[in-house]
Amino acid sequence: NFDPAHWYDVLLDGPKKEKQLENLKRTIQAIGKVGIPILGYYFSLAGVWGWTSKSTGRGKAKSIEFDASLININQPIPNGMVWNMVYNQSASIAHVPSVSRSEIWERLKYFLDNMLPIAEECGVKLAAHPDDPPIPSMRRTARLFHSISDYEELLTLSNNSYNNFELCLGTLQEMKHGDVYHFLDQYTLQDKVAYIHFRNVIGKVPHYREAFVDEGDLDMVKVLQILKKNNYAGVIIPDHTPEMSCNAPWHAGMSFALGYMKGAMQALDI
């Protein structure tokens, strides 16, 4: 992802937008020059927000939960913040104005219109992450990709082969409607998935929690079988995981996820 400090006015449609877009182009040129083939991004103002940490994972592991009843979804974003990160600590005491989906959509279109030509020239795929939590509006700003059908609309903006999905399996599973396996099958077959966040969840909005990769609502072996069938040659990464009760809780959780992935891939002869 781009650091919010590098593109806040692209997201907010602010006065530094054009300068920041030019800097983002230079970034793409640099990573293309050293052979990095993918850049993920999350086009959102509120970003990932509203989670709580509870010992509700298997074996009472610490897990991230989203429960809409515990937060004020309409809590405004302070000036100087975007994507849940502060880029200006001395900003005025005010709030980011409410933003509609059509406004956010036009900003995304402008971003892609500017970035895709240079991305194609440099051999760098741009991969869009879906909204997590996947709800229509958060902190008085609309969300672009809070459902599978909305996420598919990304491809209506450009048929450029460098316009791709950053497919977060957990986020898609959190959504109220849609078939994650069908989406995965359809778009890996079309080579529109740049990389995959291989994580699992239990439940859907408005209340869900992150789970160990083998205990959630998704059948992750079935996911790997689809990838094998479609000759997917991209990257899969664990993304998030519950934390185990030991001296290195996050690392242990990630090690478990990676070990499961490698073992399942070996069993399926991937």
Side-chain angles (χ1 to χ4, degrees), residues 18-196:
E18 298 300 333
K19 180 180 180 180
Q20 289 179 353
L21 280 170
E22 290 305 310
N23 287 339
L24 297 184
K25 292 176 185 178
R26 303 292 83 76
T27 298
I28 288 176
Q29 288 176 327
I31 70 170
K33 187 175 182 179
V34 298
I36 298 171
I38 300 167
L39 181 63
Y41 68 94
Y42 179 19
F43 208 96
S44 169
L45 274 63
V48 179
W49 183 80
W51 288 352
T52 54
S53 181
K54 297 182 178 181
S55 296
T56 51
R58 183 174 59 201
K60 296 186 178 181
K62 186 178 291 185
S63 181
I64 294 295
E65 284 195 19
F66 178 76
D67 186 345
S69 68
L70 300 180
I71 61 172
N72 176 12
I73 289 174
N74 296 315
Q75 179 179 324
I77 303 171
N79 271 352
M81 174 184 285
V82 73
W83 214 93
N84 201 29
M85 297 182 187
V86 175
Y87 64 85
N88 182 1
Q89 293 185 349
S90 59
S92 62
I93 302 174
H95 300 105
V96 173
S98 297
V99 182
S100 68
R101 188 176 189 275
S102 61
E103 289 174 301
I104 295 286
W105 186 257
E106 286 303 312
R107 295 177 193 180
L108 172 63
K109 184 178 186 303
Y110 191 80
F111 166 77
L112 288 176
D113 285 348
N114 276 270
M115 302 301 290
L116 280 171
I118 196 77
E120 182 175 19
E121 178 184 314
C122 297
V124 178
K125 291 181 177 182
L126 297 182
H129 195 288
D131 282 306
D132 190 8
I135 56 177
S137 178
M138 175 167 275
R139 308 195 76 176
R140 304 196 307 179
T141 62
R143 315 275 269 178
L144 285 172
F145 303 132
H146 63 87
S147 71
I148 285 181
S149 58
D150 282 338
Y151 196 30
E152 290 175 311
E153 288 185 16
L154 172 72
L155 302 186
T156 69
L157 289 174
S158 173
N159 60 6
N160 191 306
S161 62
Y162 285 80
N163 181 32
N164 280 232
F165 297 111
E166 177 189 337
L167 203 164
C168 179
L169 293 166
T171 302
L172 265 63
Q173 181 61 30
E174 295 157 10
M175 296 174 179
K176 283 188 175 181
H177 307 291
D179 186 329
V180 177
Y181 306 114
H182 176 73
F183 185 97
L184 180 71
D185 189 20
Q186 179 180 0
Y187 291 109
T188 52
L189 195 61
Q190 296 178 25
D191 196 27
K192 296 301 293 183
V193 176
Y195 67 104
I196 293 172

